[in-house]
């Protein structure tokens, strides 16, 4: 059987992030992707021009429709927009017998808010405790915990602060720091430092969504958390290296980079 992975996230109309990026990643990594749309955005390479969240009823109905009939081997969450949606999705994934990768999306690549300030407490107290792996970047760490990271050595403290809210594992993404792209994966006892060369490519739209979906795909295949994260890091590094121009601003990573040929 092909493993089934469910993304619960917002739609990105330019196809670089959100559920579009999630489904492309899942296809590239050999799992069957399914989706629960939480919000619709109007966005392009220049930014987010508008966002409209769906109702809790619509999100819950989509989730139950897929999980109750088809079943899932992993769930990934992205843009959840409001406290009501965060709490509803947290309840749904907590009641699902599958690993959950939580990407606590707060702002877009262009700095546009994708999560209401009023929803932060729900992320801390409801969503993170339901996570098998949480994957915040440094801006999201600061938003959730108040801890600001300006050097690699401070990532360990950031991880501890996030783990206080209950995820089993946390992956602190250090891509905003200078030097190599370094991430820290830890459950509070064991640590895994993941390093990759930094590619001189500004077209990185969708990096976080892609990484979280790649981790979920690995978990759905039965890999351990460290194995799934290491494989996802390798995939995303290649996708960033192959990122391409699209429109007049920041283009997306290339989800299909492994399939490209010179011919």
């Amino acid at each position: 059987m092909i493993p089934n992975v469910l993304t619960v996230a917002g739609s990105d109309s330019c196809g670089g992030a959100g559920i579009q990026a999630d489904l492309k990643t899942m296809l590239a990594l050999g799992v069957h992707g399914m989706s629960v749309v939480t919000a619709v955005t109007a966005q392009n390479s220049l930014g987010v021009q508008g966002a409209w969240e769906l109702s809790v009823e619509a999100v819950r109905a989509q989730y139950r429709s897929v999980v109750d009939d088809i079943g899932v081997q992993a769930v990934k969450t992205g843009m959840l927009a409001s406290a009501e949606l965060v709490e509803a999705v947290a309840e749904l994934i907590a009641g699902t017998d599958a690993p959950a990768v939580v990407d606590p999306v707060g702002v877009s690549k262009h700095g546009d808010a994708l999560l209401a300030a009023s929803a932060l407490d729900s992320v801390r107290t409801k969503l993170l405790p339901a996570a098998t792996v949480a994957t915040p970047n440094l801006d999201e760490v600061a938003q959730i915990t108040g801890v600001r990271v300006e050097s690699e050595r401070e990532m360990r403290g950031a991880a501890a602060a996030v783990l206080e809210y209950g995820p089993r594992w946390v992956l602190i993404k250090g891509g905003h720091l200078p030097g190599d792209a370094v991430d820290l994966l830890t459950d509070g006892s064991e640590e895994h430092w993941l390093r990759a060369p930094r590619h001189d490519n500004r077209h990185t739209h969708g990096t976080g969504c892609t990484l979280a979906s790649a981790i979920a795909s690995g978990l759905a295949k039965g890999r351990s958390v460290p194995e799934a994260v290491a494989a996802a890091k390798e995939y995303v590094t290649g996708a960033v290296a192959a990122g391409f121009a699209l429109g007049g601003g920041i283009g997306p990573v290339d989800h299909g980079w492994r399939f490209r040929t010179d011919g």
Side-chain angles (χ1 to χ4, degrees):
M1 284 183 57
I2 299 175
N4 300 319
V5 183
L6 178 63
T7 170
V8 184
S11 169
D12 173 5
S13 52
C14 72
I19 58 170
Q20 287 83 350
D22 298 339
L23 294 174
K24 292 174 186 178
T25 298
M26 293 168 191
L27 176 65
L29 296 179
V31 301
H32 176 64
M34 305 176 291
S35 63
V36 171
V37 180
T38 61
V40 175
T41 69
Q43 65 178 291
N44 53 30
S45 67
L46 300 174
V48 179
Q49 292 78 45
W52 301 266
E53 67 185 76
L54 272 70
S55 67
V56 168
E57 179 184 13
V59 169
R60 185 177 286 117
Q62 291 176 81
Y63 192 100
R64 291 263 62 93
S65 179
V66 171
V67 173
D68 292 348
D69 172 45
I70 300 168
V72 294
Q73 280 68 60
V75 180
K76 175 263 179 186
T77 72
M79 177 185 177
L80 299 181
S82 68
E84 293 78 13
L85 284 178
V86 169
E87 292 179 11
V89 171
E91 180 182 0
L92 288 165
I93 63 175
T96 302
D97 186 19
V101 180
V102 169
D103 185 15
V105 175
V107 296
S108 75
K109 182 71 67 178
H110 304 86
D112 302 291
L114 299 176
L115 180 72
S118 59
L120 279 172
D121 192 54
S122 296
V123 170
R124 298 181 188 107
T125 62
K126 303 293 186 182
L127 188 61
L128 289 177
T132 306
V133 189
T135 64
N137 62 31
L138 299 186
D139 289 339
E140 290 157 355
V141 168
Q143 191 178 34
I144 293 167
T145 70
V147 175
R148 300 197 174 275
V149 176
E150 298 181 354
S151 67
E152 184 178 315
R153 63 182 176 82
E154 294 174 332
M155 292 173 68
R156 187 175 283 116
V162 176
L163 286 171
E164 285 289 324
Y165 292 110
R168 284 176 48 202
W169 292 81
V170 62
L171 178 68
I172 303 295
K173 300 181 293 191
H176 293 173
L177 296 175
D180 287 346
V182 57
D183 305 326
L184 170 60
L185 173 70
T186 180
D187 64 352
S189 57
E190 60 180 279
E191 288 184 352
H192 302 268
W193 291 87
L194 299 98
R195 299 179 185 277
R198 185 177 298 278
H199 296 285
D200 185 17
N201 187 354
R202 67 190 290 259
H203 302 302
T204 57
H205 183 52
T207 309
C209 305
T210 301
L211 178 63
S213 293
I215 295 170
S217 297
L219 294 177
K221 294 177 177 179
R223 291 174 175 164
S224 68
V225 170
E227 290 170 341
V229 171
K233 174 80 169 180
E234 179 185 5
Y235 169 73
V236 169
T237 300
V240 169
F244 56 92
L246 188 74
I250 299 173
V253 302
D254 185 358
H255 300 95
W257 66 272
R258 285 177 170 166
F259 309 137
R260 307 297 181 203
T261 65
D262 293 338

PDB file of all heavy atoms in Angstrom, residues 16 24-25 28 201 203-205 210 235-236 238-244 251-260:
ATOM      1  N   GLY A  16       3.460  27.752  -4.566  1.00  0.00           N
ATOM      2  CA  GLY A  16       4.782  27.524  -3.997  1.00  0.00           C
ATOM      3  C   GLY A  16       4.789  27.027  -2.574  1.00  0.00           C
ATOM      4  O   GLY A  16       5.747  26.391  -2.140  1.00  0.00           O
ATOM      5  N   LYS A  24       2.656  18.440  -3.624  1.00  0.00           N
ATOM      6  CA  LYS A  24       3.776  18.194  -4.539  1.00  0.00           C
ATOM      7  C   LYS A  24       4.884  17.415  -3.835  1.00  0.00           C
ATOM      8  O   LYS A  24       5.481  16.496  -4.408  1.00  0.00           O
ATOM      9  CB  LYS A  24       4.318  19.519  -5.078  1.00  0.00           C
ATOM     10  CG  LYS A  24       3.383  20.255  -6.011  1.00  0.00           C
ATOM     11  CD  LYS A  24       3.957  21.629  -6.364  1.00  0.00           C
ATOM     12  CE  LYS A  24       2.969  22.448  -7.186  1.00  0.00           C
ATOM     13  NZ  LYS A  24       3.479  23.800  -7.503  1.00  0.00           N
ATOM     14  N   THR A  25       5.175  17.805  -2.605  1.00  0.00           N
ATOM     15  CA  THR A  25       6.209  17.120  -1.832  1.00  0.00           C
ATOM     16  C   THR A  25       5.834  15.661  -1.600  1.00  0.00           C
ATOM     17  O   THR A  25       6.667  14.754  -1.763  1.00  0.00           O
ATOM     18  CB  THR A  25       6.409  17.824  -0.475  1.00  0.00           C
ATOM     19  OG1 THR A  25       6.846  19.164  -0.706  1.00  0.00           O
ATOM     20  CG2 THR A  25       7.423  17.100   0.389  1.00  0.00           C
ATOM     21  N   ALA A  28       6.315  13.675  -4.708  1.00  0.00           N
ATOM     22  CA  ALA A  28       7.734  13.470  -4.986  1.00  0.00           C
ATOM     23  C   ALA A  28       8.347  12.404  -4.089  1.00  0.00           C
ATOM     24  O   ALA A  28       9.301  11.723  -4.487  1.00  0.00           O
ATOM     25  CB  ALA A  28       8.489  14.786  -4.823  1.00  0.00           C
ATOM     26  N   ASN A 201      20.590  31.371  -3.432  1.00  0.00           N
ATOM     27  CA  ASN A 201      19.377  31.359  -4.234  1.00  0.00           C
ATOM     28  C   ASN A 201      18.258  32.020  -3.438  1.00  0.00           C
ATOM     29  O   ASN A 201      17.896  31.544  -2.356  1.00  0.00           O
ATOM     30  CB  ASN A 201      18.986  29.919  -4.593  1.00  0.00           C
ATOM     31  CG  ASN A 201      17.820  29.850  -5.562  1.00  0.00           C
ATOM     32  OD1 ASN A 201      17.219  30.859  -5.896  1.00  0.00           O
ATOM     33  ND2 ASN A 201      17.494  28.645  -6.003  1.00  0.00           N
ATOM     34  N   HIS A 203      15.185  32.236  -4.237  1.00  0.00           N
ATOM     35  CA  HIS A 203      13.873  31.649  -4.516  1.00  0.00           C
ATOM     36  C   HIS A 203      13.621  30.479  -3.563  1.00  0.00           C
ATOM     37  O   HIS A 203      13.875  29.324  -3.879  1.00  0.00           O
ATOM     38  CB  HIS A 203      13.795  31.237  -5.979  1.00  0.00           C
ATOM     39  CG  HIS A 203      14.026  32.382  -6.913  1.00  0.00           C
ATOM     40  ND1 HIS A 203      13.236  33.521  -6.893  1.00  0.00           N
ATOM     41  CD2 HIS A 203      14.975  32.599  -7.865  1.00  0.00           C
ATOM     42  CE1 HIS A 203      13.671  34.374  -7.799  1.00  0.00           C
ATOM     43  NE2 HIS A 203      14.721  33.843  -8.397  1.00  0.00           N
ATOM     44  N   THR A 204      13.101  30.822  -2.386  1.00  0.00           N
ATOM     45  CA  THR A 204      12.928  29.845  -1.300  1.00  0.00           C
ATOM     46  C   THR A 204      11.494  29.792  -0.778  1.00  0.00           C
ATOM     47  O   THR A 204      11.255  29.300   0.327  1.00  0.00           O
ATOM     48  CB  THR A 204      13.878  30.186  -0.142  1.00  0.00           C
ATOM     49  OG1 THR A 204      13.622  31.546   0.290  1.00  0.00           O
ATOM     50  CG2 THR A 204      15.332  30.064  -0.560  1.00  0.00           C
ATOM     51  N   HIS A 205      10.552  30.307  -1.553  1.00  0.00           N
ATOM     52  CA  HIS A 205       9.149  30.291  -1.121  1.00  0.00           C
ATOM     53  C   HIS A 205       8.684  28.850  -0.918  1.00  0.00           C
ATOM     54  O   HIS A 205       8.875  27.991  -1.769  1.00  0.00           O
ATOM     55  CB  HIS A 205       8.287  30.974  -2.181  1.00  0.00           C
ATOM     56  CG  HIS A 205       6.836  31.081  -1.823  1.00  0.00           C
ATOM     57  ND1 HIS A 205       6.388  31.618  -0.634  1.00  0.00           N
ATOM     58  CD2 HIS A 205       5.715  30.728  -2.511  1.00  0.00           C
ATOM     59  CE1 HIS A 205       5.071  31.587  -0.601  1.00  0.00           C
ATOM     60  NE2 HIS A 205       4.637  31.051  -1.725  1.00  0.00           N
ATOM     61  N   THR A 210       7.330  22.640   2.791  1.00  0.00           N
ATOM     62  CA  THR A 210       7.941  21.493   2.118  1.00  0.00           C
ATOM     63  C   THR A 210       8.663  20.599   3.107  1.00  0.00           C
ATOM     64  O   THR A 210       8.531  19.367   3.068  1.00  0.00           O
ATOM     65  CB  THR A 210       8.901  21.996   1.030  1.00  0.00           C
ATOM     66  OG1 THR A 210       8.167  22.797   0.092  1.00  0.00           O
ATOM     67  CG2 THR A 210       9.572  20.851   0.306  1.00  0.00           C
ATOM     68  N   TYR A 235      16.107  16.302   1.106  1.00  0.00           N
ATOM     69  CA  TYR A 235      15.176  16.635   0.022  1.00  0.00           C
ATOM     70  C   TYR A 235      15.005  18.149  -0.107  1.00  0.00           C
ATOM     71  O   TYR A 235      15.061  18.707  -1.211  1.00  0.00           O
ATOM     72  CB  TYR A 235      13.824  15.968   0.278  1.00  0.00           C
ATOM     73  CG  TYR A 235      12.725  16.446  -0.638  1.00  0.00           C
ATOM     74  CD1 TYR A 235      12.697  16.072  -1.979  1.00  0.00           C
ATOM     75  CD2 TYR A 235      11.716  17.280  -0.178  1.00  0.00           C
ATOM     76  CE1 TYR A 235      11.702  16.526  -2.846  1.00  0.00           C
ATOM     77  CE2 TYR A 235      10.712  17.741  -1.017  1.00  0.00           C
ATOM     78  CZ  TYR A 235      10.706  17.353  -2.350  1.00  0.00           C
ATOM     79  OH  TYR A 235       9.725  17.814  -3.192  1.00  0.00           O
ATOM     80  N   VAL A 236      14.812  18.843   1.008  1.00  0.00           N
ATOM     81  CA  VAL A 236      14.591  20.281   0.969  1.00  0.00           C
ATOM     82  C   VAL A 236      15.843  21.022   0.502  1.00  0.00           C
ATOM     83  O   VAL A 236      15.749  22.017  -0.219  1.00  0.00           O
ATOM     84  CB  VAL A 236      14.121  20.792   2.345  1.00  0.00           C
ATOM     85  CG1 VAL A 236      14.153  22.312   2.404  1.00  0.00           C
ATOM     86  CG2 VAL A 236      12.724  20.293   2.647  1.00  0.00           C
ATOM     87  N   GLY A 238      17.990  20.031  -1.664  1.00  0.00           N
ATOM     88  CA  GLY A 238      17.980  19.944  -3.116  1.00  0.00           C
ATOM     89  C   GLY A 238      16.924  20.839  -3.741  1.00  0.00           C
ATOM     90  O   GLY A 238      17.154  21.460  -4.791  1.00  0.00           O
ATOM     91  N   ALA A 239      15.761  20.930  -3.092  1.00  0.00           N
ATOM     92  CA  ALA A 239      14.678  21.761  -3.609  1.00  0.00           C
ATOM     93  C   ALA A 239      15.045  23.240  -3.560  1.00  0.00           C
ATOM     94  O   ALA A 239      14.703  24.010  -4.474  1.00  0.00           O
ATOM     95  CB  ALA A 239      13.397  21.503  -2.822  1.00  0.00           C
ATOM     96  N   VAL A 240      15.735  23.654  -2.500  1.00  0.00           N
ATOM     97  CA  VAL A 240      16.177  25.044  -2.389  1.00  0.00           C
ATOM     98  C   VAL A 240      17.232  25.354  -3.447  1.00  0.00           C
ATOM     99  O   VAL A 240      17.202  26.405  -4.092  1.00  0.00           O
ATOM    100  CB  VAL A 240      16.720  25.333  -0.974  1.00  0.00           C
ATOM    101  CG1 VAL A 240      17.425  26.683  -0.926  1.00  0.00           C
ATOM    102  CG2 VAL A 240      15.594  25.292   0.055  1.00  0.00           C
ATOM    103  N   ALA A 241      18.168  24.430  -3.624  1.00  0.00           N
ATOM    104  CA  ALA A 241      19.215  24.634  -4.635  1.00  0.00           C
ATOM    105  C   ALA A 241      18.615  24.817  -6.023  1.00  0.00           C
ATOM    106  O   ALA A 241      19.156  25.555  -6.850  1.00  0.00           O
ATOM    107  CB  ALA A 241      20.186  23.457  -4.624  1.00  0.00           C
ATOM    108  N   ALA A 242      17.490  24.159  -6.275  1.00  0.00           N
ATOM    109  CA  ALA A 242      16.855  24.210  -7.604  1.00  0.00           C
ATOM    110  C   ALA A 242      15.727  25.236  -7.676  1.00  0.00           C
ATOM    111  O   ALA A 242      15.026  25.305  -8.692  1.00  0.00           O
ATOM    112  CB  ALA A 242      16.319  22.824  -7.960  1.00  0.00           C
ATOM    113  N   GLY A 243      15.530  26.043  -6.618  1.00  0.00           N
ATOM    114  CA  GLY A 243      14.472  27.042  -6.627  1.00  0.00           C
ATOM    115  C   GLY A 243      14.559  27.950  -7.841  1.00  0.00           C
ATOM    116  O   GLY A 243      15.653  28.276  -8.312  1.00  0.00           O
ATOM    117  N   PHE A 244      13.420  28.380  -8.347  1.00  0.00           N
ATOM    118  CA  PHE A 244      13.412  29.092  -9.619  1.00  0.00           C
ATOM    119  C   PHE A 244      12.573  30.363  -9.557  1.00  0.00           C
ATOM    120  O   PHE A 244      11.685  30.504  -8.716  1.00  0.00           O
ATOM    121  CB  PHE A 244      12.895  28.187 -10.738  1.00  0.00           C
ATOM    122  CG  PHE A 244      11.527  27.602 -10.494  1.00  0.00           C
ATOM    123  CD1 PHE A 244      10.381  28.228 -10.942  1.00  0.00           C
ATOM    124  CD2 PHE A 244      11.398  26.396  -9.807  1.00  0.00           C
ATOM    125  CE1 PHE A 244       9.126  27.692 -10.718  1.00  0.00           C
ATOM    126  CE2 PHE A 244      10.144  25.838  -9.573  1.00  0.00           C
ATOM    127  CZ  PHE A 244       9.000  26.493 -10.031  1.00  0.00           C
ATOM    128  N   GLY A 251      10.604  33.420  -5.882  1.00  0.00           N
ATOM    129  CA  GLY A 251      10.061  32.215  -6.487  1.00  0.00           C
ATOM    130  C   GLY A 251      10.090  31.037  -5.517  1.00  0.00           C
ATOM    131  O   GLY A 251      10.646  31.120  -4.424  1.00  0.00           O
ATOM    132  N   PRO A 252       9.519  29.902  -5.933  1.00  0.00           N
ATOM    133  CA  PRO A 252       9.420  28.739  -5.047  1.00  0.00           C
ATOM    134  C   PRO A 252      10.620  27.803  -5.146  1.00  0.00           C
ATOM    135  O   PRO A 252      11.391  27.842  -6.112  1.00  0.00           O
ATOM    136  CB  PRO A 252       8.173  28.030  -5.583  1.00  0.00           C
ATOM    137  CG  PRO A 252       8.244  28.298  -7.066  1.00  0.00           C
ATOM    138  CD  PRO A 252       8.786  29.695  -7.198  1.00  0.00           C
ATOM    139  N   VAL A 253      10.746  26.965  -4.134  1.00  0.00           N
ATOM    140  CA  VAL A 253      11.662  25.835  -4.251  1.00  0.00           C
ATOM    141  C   VAL A 253      11.090  24.878  -5.295  1.00  0.00           C
ATOM    142  O   VAL A 253       9.903  24.926  -5.618  1.00  0.00           O
ATOM    143  CB  VAL A 253      11.843  25.118  -2.895  1.00  0.00           C
ATOM    144  CG1 VAL A 253      12.369  26.085  -1.840  1.00  0.00           C
ATOM    145  CG2 VAL A 253      10.539  24.484  -2.416  1.00  0.00           C
ATOM    146  N   ASP A 254      11.953  24.011  -5.828  1.00  0.00           N
ATOM    147  CA  ASP A 254      11.518  23.077  -6.869  1.00  0.00           C
ATOM    148  C   ASP A 254      11.200  21.722  -6.247  1.00  0.00           C
ATOM    149  O   ASP A 254      12.089  20.943  -5.927  1.00  0.00           O
ATOM    150  CB  ASP A 254      12.618  22.932  -7.927  1.00  0.00           C
ATOM    151  CG  ASP A 254      12.184  22.063  -9.095  1.00  0.00           C
ATOM    152  OD1 ASP A 254      11.043  21.546  -9.078  1.00  0.00           O
ATOM    153  OD2 ASP A 254      12.984  21.892 -10.032  1.00  0.00           O
ATOM    154  N   HIS A 255       9.921  21.449  -6.076  1.00  0.00           N
ATOM    155  CA  HIS A 255       9.509  20.196  -5.446  1.00  0.00           C
ATOM    156  C   HIS A 255       9.836  18.975  -6.299  1.00  0.00           C
ATOM    157  O   HIS A 255       9.983  17.878  -5.779  1.00  0.00           O
ATOM    158  CB  HIS A 255       8.011  20.244  -5.140  1.00  0.00           C
ATOM    159  CG  HIS A 255       7.634  21.359  -4.225  1.00  0.00           C
ATOM    160  ND1 HIS A 255       7.179  22.574  -4.696  1.00  0.00           N
ATOM    161  CD2 HIS A 255       7.695  21.466  -2.880  1.00  0.00           C
ATOM    162  CE1 HIS A 255       6.953  23.380  -3.668  1.00  0.00           C
ATOM    163  NE2 HIS A 255       7.258  22.736  -2.567  1.00  0.00           N
ATOM    164  N   GLY A 256       9.976  19.189  -7.598  1.00  0.00           N
ATOM    165  CA  GLY A 256      10.255  18.072  -8.493  1.00  0.00           C
ATOM    166  C   GLY A 256      11.705  17.982  -8.933  1.00  0.00           C
ATOM    167  O   GLY A 256      11.994  17.379  -9.965  1.00  0.00           O
ATOM    168  N   TRP A 257      12.618  18.539  -8.126  1.00  0.00           N
ATOM    169  CA  TRP A 257      14.021  18.624  -8.564  1.00  0.00           C
ATOM    170  C   TRP A 257      14.633  17.258  -8.857  1.00  0.00           C
ATOM    171  O   TRP A 257      15.478  17.129  -9.747  1.00  0.00           O
ATOM    172  CB  TRP A 257      14.860  19.365  -7.524  1.00  0.00           C
ATOM    173  CG  TRP A 257      15.023  18.683  -6.193  1.00  0.00           C
ATOM    174  CD1 TRP A 257      14.182  18.785  -5.118  1.00  0.00           C
ATOM    175  CD2 TRP A 257      16.088  17.821  -5.774  1.00  0.00           C
ATOM    176  NE1 TRP A 257      14.648  18.043  -4.061  1.00  0.00           N
ATOM    177  CE2 TRP A 257      15.824  17.434  -4.440  1.00  0.00           C
ATOM    178  CE3 TRP A 257      17.243  17.339  -6.387  1.00  0.00           C
ATOM    179  CZ2 TRP A 257      16.672  16.586  -3.723  1.00  0.00           C
ATOM    180  CZ3 TRP A 257      18.087  16.506  -5.674  1.00  0.00           C
ATOM    181  CH2 TRP A 257      17.790  16.137  -4.358  1.00  0.00           C
ATOM    182  N   ARG A 258      14.190  16.224  -8.172  1.00  0.00           N
ATOM    183  CA  ARG A 258      14.776  14.906  -8.409  1.00  0.00           C
ATOM    184  C   ARG A 258      14.347  14.319  -9.741  1.00  0.00           C
ATOM    185  O   ARG A 258      14.970  13.364 -10.233  1.00  0.00           O
ATOM    186  CB  ARG A 258      14.377  13.953  -7.281  1.00  0.00           C
ATOM    187  CG  ARG A 258      15.112  14.195  -5.968  1.00  0.00           C
ATOM    188  CD  ARG A 258      14.623  13.264  -4.899  1.00  0.00           C
ATOM    189  NE  ARG A 258      15.465  13.327  -3.713  1.00  0.00           N
ATOM    190  CZ  ARG A 258      15.141  12.830  -2.521  1.00  0.00           C
ATOM    191  NH1 ARG A 258      13.965  12.215  -2.381  1.00  0.00           N
ATOM    192  NH2 ARG A 258      15.954  12.924  -1.492  1.00  0.00           N
ATOM    193  N   PHE A 259      13.305  14.853 -10.333  1.00  0.00           N
ATOM    194  CA  PHE A 259      12.793  14.316 -11.592  1.00  0.00           C
ATOM    195  C   PHE A 259      13.318  15.062 -12.811  1.00  0.00           C
ATOM    196  O   PHE A 259      13.055  14.667 -13.936  1.00  0.00           O
ATOM    197  CB  PHE A 259      11.258  14.383 -11.610  1.00  0.00           C
ATOM    198  CG  PHE A 259      10.610  13.786 -10.412  1.00  0.00           C
ATOM    199  CD1 PHE A 259       9.547  14.407  -9.786  1.00  0.00           C
ATOM    200  CD2 PHE A 259      11.048  12.568  -9.900  1.00  0.00           C
ATOM    201  CE1 PHE A 259       8.937  13.853  -8.662  1.00  0.00           C
ATOM    202  CE2 PHE A 259      10.435  12.002  -8.790  1.00  0.00           C
ATOM    203  CZ  PHE A 259       9.384  12.641  -8.169  1.00  0.00           C
ATOM    204  N   ARG A 260      14.021  16.173 -12.597  1.00  0.00           N
ATOM    205  CA  ARG A 260      14.468  16.987 -13.718  1.00  0.00           C
ATOM    206  C   ARG A 260      15.605  16.301 -14.476  1.00  0.00           C
ATOM    207  O   ARG A 260      16.484  15.682 -13.852  1.00  0.00           O
ATOM    208  CB  ARG A 260      14.950  18.362 -13.262  1.00  0.00           C
ATOM    209  CG  ARG A 260      13.961  19.122 -12.396  1.00  0.00           C
ATOM    210  CD  ARG A 260      12.663  19.450 -13.103  1.00  0.00           C
ATOM    211  NE  ARG A 260      11.766  20.190 -12.228  1.00  0.00           N
ATOM    212  CZ  ARG A 260      10.464  20.246 -12.364  1.00  0.00           C
ATOM    213  NH1 ARG A 260       9.865  19.601 -13.353  1.00  0.00           N
ATOM    214  NH2 ARG A 260       9.723  20.939 -11.526  1.00  0.00           N
TER     215      ARG A 260
END
